[in-house]
Amino acid sequence: MALTSNLRLFTAALLMYAGLTTSANHCPSCGTTPVPYPLSTGPNCGDQSYKIRCDAGSLKFDTLNNTYSIATITPDIQRFVIQPSSFVPNTCVTSDISTMGIQMNSSLPFNITSSNTIMYLNCTTTLLNSPLNCSSTSLCHSFINSSAQVSACQSAPICCTFRAGGSTTSYMIRVRDAGCRAYSSFVNLNPTLPVNRWPQPGLEIQWVSPSEPVCGTQADCDSNSTCGSDVHENGVNRCFCNSGLRWDPIQGLCAEIVTCQDPNGCNGGSKNRTALIAGLTAGLGTALFAAIIGALLYKRHRRIKEAKERLTREREEILNAGNTGKSAKIFTGKEIKKATNNFSRDRLLGIGGYGEVYKGFLSNGTTVAVKCAKLGNTKSTEQVLNEVRILCQVNHKSLVGLLGCCVELEQPLMVYEYIPNGTLSDHLQGPNRGHLSWNHRLFIAHSTAEGLAYLHFSAMPPIYHRDVKSSNILLDEKMNAKVGDFGLSRLAHTDLSHVSTCAQGTLGYLDPEYYRNYQLTDKSDVYSFGVVLLELLTSQKAIDFNRPSDDVNLAVYVQRMVEEERIMDVVDPILKEGASRLELETMKALGFLAAGCLEERRQNRPSMKEVAEEIGYIISVATAKDVEKVD
Ligand SMILES: *[C@@H]1O[C@H](CO)[C@@H](O)[C@H](O)[C@H]1NC(C)=O
Ligand SMILES: *[C@@H]1O[C@H](CO)[C@@H](O)[C@H](O)[C@H]1NC(C)=O
Ligand SMILES: *[C@@H]1O[C@H](CO)[C@@H](O)[C@H](O)[C@H]1NC(C)=O
Ligand SMILES: *[C@@H]1O[C@H](CO)[C@@H](O)[C@H](O)[C@H]1NC(C)=O
Ligand SMILES: *[C@@H]1O[C@H](CO)[C@@H](O)[C@H](O)[C@H]1NC(C)=O
Ligand SMILES: *[C@@H]1O[C@H](CO)[C@@H](O)[C@H](O)[C@H]1NC(C)=O
Ligand SMILES: *[C@@H]1O[C@H](CO)[C@@H](O)[C@H](O)[C@H]1NC(C)=O
């Protein structure tokens, strides 16, 4: 008896031990549903930042004030789908209206993806002014006309449709009495299909790639990783993968670095080829000598190639050391030449003080913008790599992403994500500037300010842009603003003690204090951003010789108008036309904010963080009382 019970205990302990070492990170299945890493249903499994709940055999996702069932999980794309709230029977109201719909904690690593098409139902008339599609042809009308579940909504005449995942909808789908009272959502909806072939309603949520697991001691890590301190988070230790292995955030373990894609093995190929060359030529006695030379040359070629590959890998490792999620690549000169069709003229996107920008197509189908970096020619490759490393860690939705760099050609090249829709400057100056509604302009101002505030306050070390202007603000196809060219500005810490006599920045945007002390600070970016705000407000150029001579400089011109209490006279007539009283008020408020940014003395200017908050406040005033807006 005693023996068997001891044996049982022993077996149980063994099982527990095995369970801990092989899958310490993974949570057990919930009912029959596997729970992939990093999702966590308990304090001892998964990653604690990724909490969900297992409730009576089914998975639940808790938002700030509500709970939704998880319908499906797709770990390899790091997404799951939740079931949206049901409707209060026989009404066009979703039952989560009491919690204002879906409100997620934006500090957690989950957000709503842009694969969701949202139907907003039973909306107030104020929604008709919103940028959402609330027209009578909008998809939501087909939905309520042909779906029995929402037939109650036919007596609620206003509904709207939009794609989620913009800056205001990545953490909430808001329903409330003063806006829309119900919603439904569809993942990857093909709008050309008839309603009866639409998928079940669902809201897709994405999780951010998890970092390595947190550890207290080495005992918390498996044999493939070592507990060490995280340079990016003070006082946090993580299980970092041992050399030769890399962190796989999808499997949640350390995996071998795969460099060889050849299923027949990597070394076999070269041996066979060398042997083949040798064999063929050896038969022809006279060619024996040539064969040996050939084989030697081939080996040498291979060795050089391998050395180069190793160097690239090592550089990428330096670049990506401690990088969270996003990885920078070292491109070879050959890849860049191929991508830009050998820097062909018809790929030239623009020329500026910084050099030239080319459009390129990488072999994986990504479209990129390739820029010659304006880095001093005294800088070494190491310096360039180090600077790129810092830039690669700069990752914010309002900044153009840096994908990598190339230091192989004479001039260092930076490879950026390609933003298709031109610059803010193009949009403001064109005859179609009316398309940029006041709301659009506020959102552009807000995301630009957020991007710059991120550079000033969240990048380590801080980065001052030094060339903020409307032609450096790119717009994507959804008119979201992304700040570009911050990679070409020099990093803040390199220049503090250094007096440069060569003027930086652009005429019309340049901080007047620069002329006094030849230094640019974060407040110089605030000044330049103030000029951008004026451009948004007036649709005029920063420098325009067609204006009377004392008004050539937009900042000077508007400051004069502010002093004469005529600020509304400079606002673009297209914006004022048909604007509500509230909108006119918000234009005035933005005008005063711009004037604050343009203060002569740096210490009187607000910080970029304050500017971003102020614009956020202006937007909330506009949206709270006037219309419900989602970009
Ligand atoms: C629309 O919402 C209002 C406010 O919640 C509600 O009173 C009304 O019943 C809803 N309409 C329909 C058709 O359910
Ligand atoms: C959500 O819950 C918090 C407290 O738990 C409460 O203060 C807040 O008002 C709630 N929000 C909504 C929209 O219900
Ligand atoms: C949001 O999440 C953060 C991080 O876990 C937490 O500290 C904070 O309390 C949460 N906020 C709310 C309102 O629950
Ligand atoms: C609204 O959606 C319908 C159907 O997709 C489309 O035909 C129409 O052009 C859209 N209207 C606006 C203003 O976007
Ligand atoms: C929905 O039904 C209404 C009333 O029957 C009709 O006027 C409207 O054209 C329909 N809309 C769509 C998009 O099917
Ligand atoms: C949501 O999170 C993903 C993963 O981190 C990120 O790539 C994406 O930009 C985020 N989307 C928004 C709208 O914040
Ligand atoms: C360690 O890594 C090796 C190679 O990838 C793998 O075969 C092994 O299962 C890993 N061990 C653990 C405990 O994860």
Side-chain angles (χ1 to χ4, degrees):
M1 266 321 260
L3 188 70
T4 44
S5 80
N6 271 346
L7 199 63
R8 241 185 249 148
L9 260 177
F10 179 66
T11 323
L14 199 70
L15 279 177
M16 263 175 71
Y17 181 69
L20 273 176
T21 48
T22 56
S23 59
N25 284 333
H26 294 67
C27 291
S29 293
C30 175
T32 55
T33 317
V35 180
Y37 190 83
L39 301 181
S40 169
T41 50
N44 299 318
C45 65
D47 183 319
Q48 294 305 304
S49 311
Y50 296 79
K51 285 204 180 85
I52 56 173
R53 265 189 313 119
C54 177
D55 183 8
S58 61
L59 287 170
K60 307 281 184 201
F61 179 65
D62 289 324
T63 57
L64 283 176
N65 297 51
N66 214 337
T67 296
Y68 299 87
S69 289
I70 296 178
T72 57
I73 307 183
T74 319
D76 47 343
I77 52 167
Q78 308 189 314
R79 291 169 185 219
F80 59 79
V81 174
I82 59 172
Q83 270 162 6
S85 177
S86 58
F87 283 73
V88 176
N90 303 318
T91 67
C92 190
V93 177
T94 36
S95 32
D96 57 2
I97 193 166
S98 55
T99 59
M100 294 184 85
I102 298 178
Q103 305 276 337
M104 285 159 54
N105 182 347
S106 58
S107 310
L108 296 179
F110 297 106
N111 69 23
I112 296 171
T113 74
S114 55
S115 305
N116 297 293
T117 301
I118 312 290
M119 309 290 161
Y120 253 169
L121 310 169
N122 193 4
C123 302
T124 58
T125 49
T126 52
L127 261 287
L128 294 175
N129 295 328
S130 80
L132 310 182
N133 188 341
C134 306
S135 71
S136 58
T137 56
S138 164
L139 272 185
C140 63
H141 286 282
S142 320
F143 175 53
I144 56 185
N145 277 9
S146 350
S147 172
Q149 295 151 297
V150 289
S151 54
C153 294
Q154 282 173 19
S155 53
I158 299 174
C159 72
C160 313
T161 307
F162 67 97
R163 263 309 187 69
S167 59
T168 56
T169 49
S170 45
Y171 300 103
M172 65 164 139
I173 303 294
R174 181 162 68 178
V175 288
R176 53 175 183 165
D177 266 333
C180 301
R181 287 66 172 252
Y183 70 98
S184 195
S185 167
F186 297 92
V187 181
N188 295 325
L189 179 64
N190 174 354
T192 60
L193 287 180
V195 176
N196 60 16
R197 292 181 54 201
W198 285 9
Q200 283 299 310
L203 184 80
E204 190 184 63
I205 287 175
Q206 184 175 22
W207 67 81
V208 176
S209 268
S211 307
E212 290 85 349
V214 173
C215 54
T217 64
Q218 181 59 34
D220 301 331
C221 303
D222 66 15
S223 56
N224 283 340
S225 57
T226 308
C227 190
S229 61
D230 186 341
V231 290
H232 296 280
E233 253 178 293
N234 255 345
V236 174
N237 291 337
R238 293 183 184 279
C239 300
F240 291 105
C241 296
N242 297 340
S243 71
L245 302 174
R246 105 194 128 71
W247 171 240
D248 179 344
I250 292 176
Q251 301 295 330
L253 43 75
C254 295
E256 268 168 71
I257 297 170
V258 182
T259 46
C260 161
Q261 310 282 339
D262 183 356
N264 300 325
C266 294
N267 300 324
S270 76
K271 267 190 222 134
N272 289 346
R273 239 143 93 206
T274 319
L276 189 66
I277 294 173
L280 268 178
T281 44
L284 317 163
T286 49
L288 184 60
F289 184 64
I292 293 169
I293 298 284
L296 283 178
L297 280 178
Y298 181 79
K299 272 194 176 151
R300 190 177 120 85
H301 171 77
R302 221 189 136 78
R303 251 204 330 272
I304 294 176
K305 195 164 163 236
E306 278 169 3
K308 268 193 174 165
E309 282 170 1
R310 198 172 53 239
L311 194 67
T312 306
R313 251 195 331 271
E314 279 168 10
R315 282 180 168 171
E316 280 180 11
E317 269 166 28
I318 301 177
L319 270 177
N320 294 325
N323 213 345
T324 46
K326 207 171 156 248
S327 60
K329 187 170 152 48
I330 296 280
F331 292 95
T332 63
K334 209 163 142 198
E335 274 175 279
I336 298 296
K337 280 184 176 160
K338 184 158 168 251
T340 58
N341 196 9
N342 203 10
F343 299 102
S344 132
R345 286 284 115 185
D346 58 13
R347 293 288 181 78
L348 193 62
L349 289 171
I351 307 178
Y354 46 77
E356 294 166 336
V357 193
Y358 291 88
K359 187 171 180 175
F361 304 99
L362 300 182
S363 50
N364 68 5
T366 316
T367 310
V368 294
V370 177
K371 271 183 203 187
C372 304
K374 188 168 88 184
L375 295 167
N377 48 11
T378 54
K379 289 197 177 168
S380 67
T381 305
E382 290 316 308
Q383 250 176 314
V384 171
L385 277 177
N386 199 32
E387 293 190 354
V388 172
R389 189 174 81 81
I390 291 164
L391 290 172
C392 285
Q393 290 172 9
V394 166
N395 182 6
H396 187 270
K397 65 181 192 306
S398 302
L399 297 174
V400 175
L402 180 60
L403 304 179
C405 72
C406 168
V407 288
E408 212 178 278
L409 304 171
E410 307 91 74
Q411 205 171 4
L413 301 172
M414 315 285 259
V415 181
Y416 292 87
E417 73 174 297
Y418 175 71
I419 312 290
N421 204 3
T423 69
L424 174 59
S425 161
D426 302 335
H427 284 268
L428 283 176
Q429 250 88 74
N432 292 332
R433 68 179 200 276
H435 288 319
L436 270 190
S437 69
W438 179 235
N439 291 333
H440 276 132
R441 291 180 195 220
L442 281 177
F443 283 123
I444 290 169
H446 191 230
S447 30
T448 305
E450 282 188 319
L452 292 173
Y454 174 88
L455 288 177
H456 291 177
F457 295 102
S458 302
M460 277 300 288
I463 295 173
Y464 306 154
H465 190 293
R466 294 160 197 257
D467 202 9
V468 176
K469 54 183 173 182
S470 54
S471 56
N472 273 341
I473 298 168
L474 304 176
L475 299 179
D476 70 11
E477 64 284 350
K478 287 197 225 143
M479 290 305 221
N480 296 315
K482 291 200 174 224
V483 179
D485 273 2
F486 57 88
L488 304 185
S489 59
R490 309 211 333 263
L491 297 168
H493 72 289
T494 59
D495 203 35
L496 280 181
S497 58
H498 182 225
V499 175
S500 158
T501 46
C502 163
Q504 304 180 1
T506 302
L507 198 64
Y509 297 89
L510 187 58
D511 179 0
E513 278 220 350
Y514 182 72
Y515 296 111
R516 262 195 287 280
N517 57 22
Y518 297 108
Q519 274 189 0
L520 293 176
T521 70
D522 61 332
K523 294 295 180 75
S524 313
D525 285 351
V526 172
Y527 182 93
S528 311
F529 181 71
V531 180
V532 172
L533 289 182
L534 296 185
E535 290 179 278
L536 284 167
L537 208 57
T538 64
S539 308
Q540 299 208 33
K541 290 186 193 159
I543 293 286
D544 188 348
F545 291 99
N546 294 321
R547 285 194 293 263
S549 59
D550 51 349
D551 290 336
V552 164
N553 187 315
L554 183 62
V556 176
Y557 165 49
V558 177
Q559 275 165 321
R560 179 168 65 77
M561 297 296 269
V562 170
E563 273 158 33
E564 293 173 23
E565 299 189 3
R566 290 169 58 198
I567 192 166
M568 289 311 286
D569 291 1
V570 298
V571 174
D572 185 352
I574 286 191
L575 293 178
K576 285 191 283 188
E577 201 179 301
S580 67
R581 203 179 53 81
L582 194 70
E583 278 175 328
L584 293 173
E585 283 304 313
T586 55
M587 288 172 198
K588 206 181 220 168
L590 198 78
F592 284 127
L593 178 63
C597 297
L598 296 172
E599 282 279 353
E600 175 101 272
R601 291 269 157 210
R602 278 177 186 161
Q603 64 267 31
N604 297 340
R605 297 176 203 152
S607 75
M608 213 60 230
K609 224 179 209 165
E610 291 166 334
V611 173
E613 275 164 15
E614 183 72 19
I615 299 172
Y617 176 70
I618 293 175
I619 291 178
S620 75
V621 169
T623 51
K625 298 217 189 92
D626 193 8
V627 291
E628 168 129 0
K629 256 184 235 84
V630 187
D631 65 342

